[in-house]
Amino acid sequence: MGDMGDMGGVGGAVTIEAAYVVVGGGSSGAVVAGRLAERGADVVLLEAGPDYGSVGDPRWAPELVDARQLATTHDWGYTAGRWTFERARVIGGCSSHNGAIAAVGHRRDYDAWGLPGWTGDDVEPLYRTVVERMRVRAYDRSDAVPFHEHCLVVAEAMGLHVASDLCDLDANASFGLETVNVVDGVRWNTAFAYLDPVRDRPNLRIVDHVLVDRIAEEAGGVTIHTVRDGEPLVVRAGTLVLSAGVYGTPAILQRSGIGDPDRLRAVGVTPVLDLPGVGANLHDHSMVIADRAIGPELQRHLDVAAATGFLPEEQTLGKFVSSLSLDGLYDIHAFPVCASNQTSMLHGRVGIEVACMTPRSRGRLDITSPDPQAAPSIDHGYCTDPEGHDLAVLREGLAFASEMLDHPVLASLLGDVVTDVSTDRAVLDAVAHYYHPVGTCAMGTHDAAVCDGRGRVRGLQHVVVADASLFHQIPRANTNLPAVMVGERIASWL
Ligand SMILES: Cc1cc2nc3c(=O)[nH]c(=O)nc-3n(C[C@H](O)[C@H](O)[C@H](O)COP(=O)(O)OP(=O)(O)OC[C@H]3O[C@@H](n4cnc5c(N)ncnc54)[C@H](O)[C@@H]3O)c2cc1C
């Protein structure tokens, strides 16, 4: 339970007031709140899930701190058809349940945004701070469990450039041990990195179990309508920072009447501000696995590694350039995965996951009701780009992954293919996602931009977005560190 701070009754509803209110204590929001608090600003952080306190507090559920596998508790439960779209509902947000793989993409990803303050040169010093704060380190070769060690041997045998640091804005095609934000087996989330140092400060109030419904801008600030323990709670902010994530932030704006007027009316919301880009431009890295059954010798290796208590599913990563790359830079992530037990999503397989890092497919998010408890409609449109670019990139990545798996060093440890990915149809049936949705409140200067280049919602005076929904085009990176960087960048401008 968070600290409710000073509250008074206004118009029958309990209220909290602060100069800055941050909605969502996730990868970006915890950073914004932490940085503002460090500067002595009056900050309230509202989080829908629980706040379990500082690192080491026994309230943290073991699966949230154990970095070896993804945690499946504390999830918002979003689904669409065969898809599940995991999002954490807890302080630290997705940084509290994710794979803790640390990546930054290529500097040209940021140059391509064309926005002052966000170029590769601009974000480089921010990333240096983020890497330090998130305690990022590369796995050492001596950490590599047998399957990943064999992958490194194969990469060397195939003549790939084996890199010692993949978390580098200038690195291109390479294979190597991953960089992670894991400290002694603990998933180092943004709550530990950015909130713990300021938790004792009286100018920071963290209020958990608060579901933000909608907002209304008025002279001098913003009124935020929320629900806590089934009761309405009204919060007033001088400046509101929306960091509720790629699904949460556009949903709050849409419930507030900010979005495409026709779509809003269709679900019973009165339009207030015409911003059709809200919820549009949803995209992610599509992903598919080249898998194999586990041979008996590898099974023994995995069981031994698991028994020693250290068997991370992911440890190595390849960046590859497909023939479709327009800039000569890598557009494929290929990362080997292994696990020994049945609780893993791998279900007795190993393989190489392949992701399209420059997706052109786009989908959208729309609320289905004004009720904040109602799940939104989420359509990612994976591999639906008309030119077939994303599917073609995945197929090249699969060919490369199969070449690695079929190399004698690995093939001798592996059984048959489990999932058919031999045709376009089979790939489309098997396609999954890399857990990196972005883009639903894109910043930019184009007509569809929801926010300006400083994250300010166009047409509003006191509302700023700071989370992964700001990305107009996803970087070639796992998106946790980019989201942390966004928190640093926006906080520096507040
Ligand atoms: C299973 C999984 C594995 C991943 N693995 C990796 C990885 O290994 N490496 C990597 O770099 N990236 C990984 N990612 C992606 C990365 O974690 C996310 O891109 C990043 O955390 C997004 O940060 P964010 O601040 O935009 O949103 P979030 O971290 O999701 O934060 C949003 C916060 O807002 C809260 N919230 C939402 N709506 C409301 C509301 N209405 N009221 C109040 N609070 C609200 C949420 O509870 C949450 O705490 C993974 C993601 C998942 C789901």
Side-chain angles (χ1 to χ4, degrees):
M1 185 72 68
D3 172 8
M4 293 284 285
D6 296 331
M7 296 184 299
V10 172
V14 181
T15 64
I16 303 175
E17 288 193 41
Y20 294 94
V21 174
V22 180
V23 172
S27 296
S28 305
V31 181
V32 176
R35 285 302 194 195
L36 287 171
E38 274 173 26
R39 300 201 315 239
D42 170 33
V43 192
V44 163
L45 173 58
L46 305 175
E47 167 55 45
D51 172 21
Y52 290 134
S54 302
V55 61
D57 189 312
R59 289 173 299 169
W60 278 96
E63 69 277 9
L64 292 177
V65 284
D66 180 347
R68 283 171 298 181
Q69 285 182 10
L70 301 179
T72 52
T73 57
H74 299 77
D75 195 77
W76 282 81
Y78 296 130
T79 59
R82 74 177 173 89
W83 303 96
T84 55
F85 300 117
E86 291 72 12
R87 290 287 100 182
R89 186 171 180 151
V90 62
I91 201 80
C94 292
S95 76
S96 296
H97 77 164
N98 71 14
I101 305 305
V104 294
H106 196 277
R107 73 171 58 246
R108 274 198 252 159
D109 294 335
Y110 305 96
D111 292 343
W113 290 354
L115 295 171
W118 296 99
T119 67
D121 286 350
D122 293 324
V123 301
E124 191 169 9
L126 297 172
Y127 271 127
R128 271 200 295 275
T129 307
V130 168
V131 159
E132 195 178 316
R133 202 72 186 244
M134 294 298 288
R135 315 262 298 259
V136 172
R137 68 175 180 102
Y139 277 121
D140 190 75
R141 188 86 183 228
S142 60
D143 296 325
V145 298
F147 178 65
H148 292 286
E149 173 57 30
H150 282 92
C151 292
L152 285 162
V153 171
V154 168
E156 283 161 349
M158 289 172 69
L160 303 177
H161 169 61
V162 175
S164 58
D165 182 7
L166 295 178
C167 196
D168 177 349
L169 282 169
D170 293 302
N172 197 1
S174 42
F175 192 92
L177 286 155
E178 289 188 315
T179 35
V180 290
N181 48 288
V182 176
V183 180
D184 297 331
V186 170
R187 178 183 286 111
W188 202 252
N189 64 46
T190 54
F192 299 158
Y194 284 89
L195 294 178
D196 281 7
V198 287
R199 275 183 178 277
D200 293 339
R201 300 207 180 181
N203 58 313
L204 172 66
R205 289 170 282 170
I206 302 172
V207 191
D208 63 357
H209 297 294
V210 178
L211 180 65
V212 172
D213 174 1
R214 60 189 199 283
I215 61 168
E217 192 172 71
E218 47 213 29
V222 186
T223 298
I224 305 144
H225 298 274
T226 82
V227 184
R228 191 174 200 257
D229 297 330
E231 298 294 326
L233 169 70
V234 177
V235 182
R236 293 188 207 285
T239 297
L240 170 65
V241 182
L242 288 175
S243 299
V246 68
Y247 305 138
T249 291
I252 291 168
L253 289 174
Q254 290 174 353
R255 285 195 294 269
S256 311
I258 301 164
D260 180 326
D262 292 337
R263 289 175 185 270
L264 295 177
R265 274 188 218 99
V267 293
V269 173
T270 305
V272 172
L273 179 61
D274 185 350
L275 265 187
V278 176
N281 189 49
L282 175 61
H283 61 293
D284 189 354
H285 303 126
S286 50
M287 188 172 86
V288 67
I289 188 169
D291 64 11
R292 299 287 187 274
I294 304 176
E297 188 188 340
L298 179 58
Q299 186 64 60
R300 275 194 299 281
H301 284 318
L302 295 177
D303 290 343
V304 169
T308 64
F310 184 66
L311 183 56
E313 286 193 5
E314 299 176 35
Q315 270 194 319
T316 46
L317 169 70
K319 301 172 179 179
F320 302 110
V321 187
S322 83
S323 66
L324 290 100
S325 172
L326 294 177
D327 54 11
L329 296 175
Y330 64 93
D331 52 357
I332 294 170
H333 264 194
F335 58 101
V337 284
C338 69
S340 73
N341 58 40
Q342 298 303 318
T343 60
S344 159
M345 288 184 237
L346 289 169
H347 304 299
R349 302 169 295 159
V350 294
I352 300 181
E353 298 273 15
V354 169
C356 168
M357 302 307 285
T358 52
R360 295 191 192 158
S361 302
R362 294 293 186 268
R364 57 174 300 119
L365 173 139
D366 289 293
I367 54 167
T368 54
S369 153
D371 178 359
Q373 312 278 357
S377 149
I378 301 172
D379 173 10
H380 266 277
Y382 291 109
C383 292
T384 56
D385 63 297
E387 311 86 24
H389 165 271
D390 299 359
L391 178 60
V393 171
L394 286 178
R395 292 213 63 180
E396 284 198 27
L398 284 168
F400 198 86
S402 294
E403 202 182 327
M404 286 194 76
L405 293 169
D406 292 342
H407 188 281
V409 170
L410 278 170
S412 62
L413 299 168
L414 304 175
D416 294 335
V417 170
V418 180
T419 308
D420 174 24
V421 285
S422 59
T423 62
D424 282 353
R425 185 69 257 160
V427 173
L428 290 173
D429 288 345
V431 83
H433 61 75
Y434 205 176
Y435 305 103
H436 299 158
V438 303
T440 48
C441 295
M443 62 181 168
T445 51
H446 50 291
D447 285 348
V450 173
C451 300
D452 71 9
R454 292 195 161 211
R456 294 172 292 217
V457 177
R458 290 161 116 193
L460 299 181
Q461 304 302 312
H462 307 287
V463 184
V464 177
V465 172
D467 59 31
S469 49
L470 283 178
F471 303 153
H472 169 63
Q473 172 68 35
I474 194 168
R476 274 168 263 223
N478 311 58
T479 42
N480 188 45
L481 257 50
V484 177
M485 181 276 288
V486 163
E488 289 273 9
R489 173 79 301 169
I490 299 290
S492 77
W493 284 332
L494 289 173

